[in-house]
Amino acid sequence: MNLTDKIHKRLRPYAKERGLLRKGRTYYTITEDTAYCFSIENHSFDVYVHFYLIPLYMREENHILTYGNLLNSLFFEKIPTLQKTAAEEEIDAWAAIVTGIVDSYVLPFFRQVGSPEKLLDFLALSWEAQKGYLFCPPVHRLRLKVYTLLYRHRQEEAWEAVADLREELDGVSNFTDRMRKILRSEADNLEAMCGWTHHQLDTFF
């Protein structure tokens, strides 16, 4: 049994007790078109734990890891390095620490943003309040805000958020020209969607 299998063996009863499903390396639950996940990634010299939410209504090809953070970075002093040669006792200790952090930090966050309306409330908080959970560029947080507002039929607020998104795109310097073009085209589409009827939005989402 390799290290990954040993980790999942320890996490299986924990996930079952909390109603979490598993697919491959990921444990998750889905509520109101949003998946709430944490994933185990086994690299050469350590095991990483990512937590993130996937807004399924955004229809992206790859949502993974955009809206979340890395537990190892947030709790680097608490989470020990776990290598492929780790002893059973080391794996037990690692799993206990990680599940404790998920219980005290990740699952409460998932409950805090457990609906589109709650997510919008969270996105209205300061960057300081958000950064430990959604460690992604402001452009992507604004995109999430616009899509979520449209999903909830709040078109007037979405219109204002699109203007904020355009302004942020104009000031971004670390995107390629291709990426900037794609995001500006998306902003055009989102702006148009602000004029759609509720039925049109429901059909899209």
Side-chain angles (χ1 to χ4, degrees):
M1 186 180 293
N2 61 33
L3 177 58
T4 300
D5 292 336
K6 291 178 181 179
I7 290 172
H8 288 299
K9 180 181 178 181
R10 287 160 173 80
L11 294 180
R12 192 178 301 122
Y14 168 84
K16 185 176 181 180
E17 287 177 4
R18 287 151 184 79
L20 300 172
L21 303 173
R22 179 190 168 194
K23 184 175 182 180
R25 67 188 184 186
T26 301
Y27 296 86
Y28 69 96
T29 184
I30 297 176
T31 303
E32 295 193 48
D33 281 343
T34 302
Y36 303 90
C37 318
F38 72 90
S39 296
I40 310 298
E41 293 191 26
N42 188 357
H43 293 270
S44 299
F45 300 103
D46 203 354
V47 176
Y48 297 102
V49 183
H50 294 269
F51 69 95
Y52 50 94
L53 57 91
I54 303 176
L56 302 174
Y57 47 85
M58 288 185 72
R59 289 188 172 185
E60 295 200 353
E61 293 182 3
N62 185 6
H63 300 83
I64 302 300
L65 308 183
T66 299
Y67 299 113
N69 209 335
L70 180 66
L71 276 190
N72 303 62
S73 295
L74 291 170
F75 298 94
F76 67 92
E77 294 180 345
K78 293 184 178 181
I79 300 178
T81 299
L82 194 64
Q83 299 187 4
K84 293 181 179 180
T85 57
E88 297 294 327
E89 295 78 9
E90 293 177 280
I91 302 172
D92 288 339
W94 182 92
I97 291 170
V98 167
T99 54
I101 292 173
V102 171
D103 273 342
S104 63
Y105 191 83
V106 176
L107 297 184
F109 167 62
F110 288 165
R111 288 191 290 270
Q112 183 182 1
V113 296
S115 71
E117 295 296 339
K118 288 181 178 180
L119 176 58
L120 288 169
D121 289 341
F122 180 81
L123 292 172
L125 299 176
S126 67
W127 165 233
E128 285 298 317
Q130 293 184 40
K131 68 179 182 180
Y133 301 96
L134 299 183
F135 196 70
C136 57
V139 164
H140 291 302
R141 295 198 304 278
L142 284 167
R143 292 176 61 242
L144 176 59
K145 180 179 180 179
V146 174
Y147 274 102
T148 306
L149 286 167
L150 289 172
Y151 179 70
R152 298 302 297 162
H153 298 165
R154 292 164 60 174
Q155 288 102 310
E156 288 188 12
E157 293 170 83
W159 192 288
E160 295 175 359
V162 170
D164 293 337
L165 175 59
R166 290 187 187 281
E167 183 178 352
E168 187 66 35
L169 279 170
D170 288 341
V172 170
S173 60
N174 58 345
F175 283 179
T176 64
D177 289 341
R178 179 177 178 275
M179 178 58 67
R180 199 188 308 272
K181 182 178 179 180
I182 290 172
L183 292 173
R184 282 176 173 159
S185 176
E186 181 186 49
D188 290 341
N189 293 334
L190 290 170
E191 186 174 58
M193 289 171 65
C194 292
W196 287 7
T197 65
H198 290 180
H199 177 70
Q200 287 174 309
L201 289 172
D202 289 341
T203 300
F204 174 82
F205 289 119

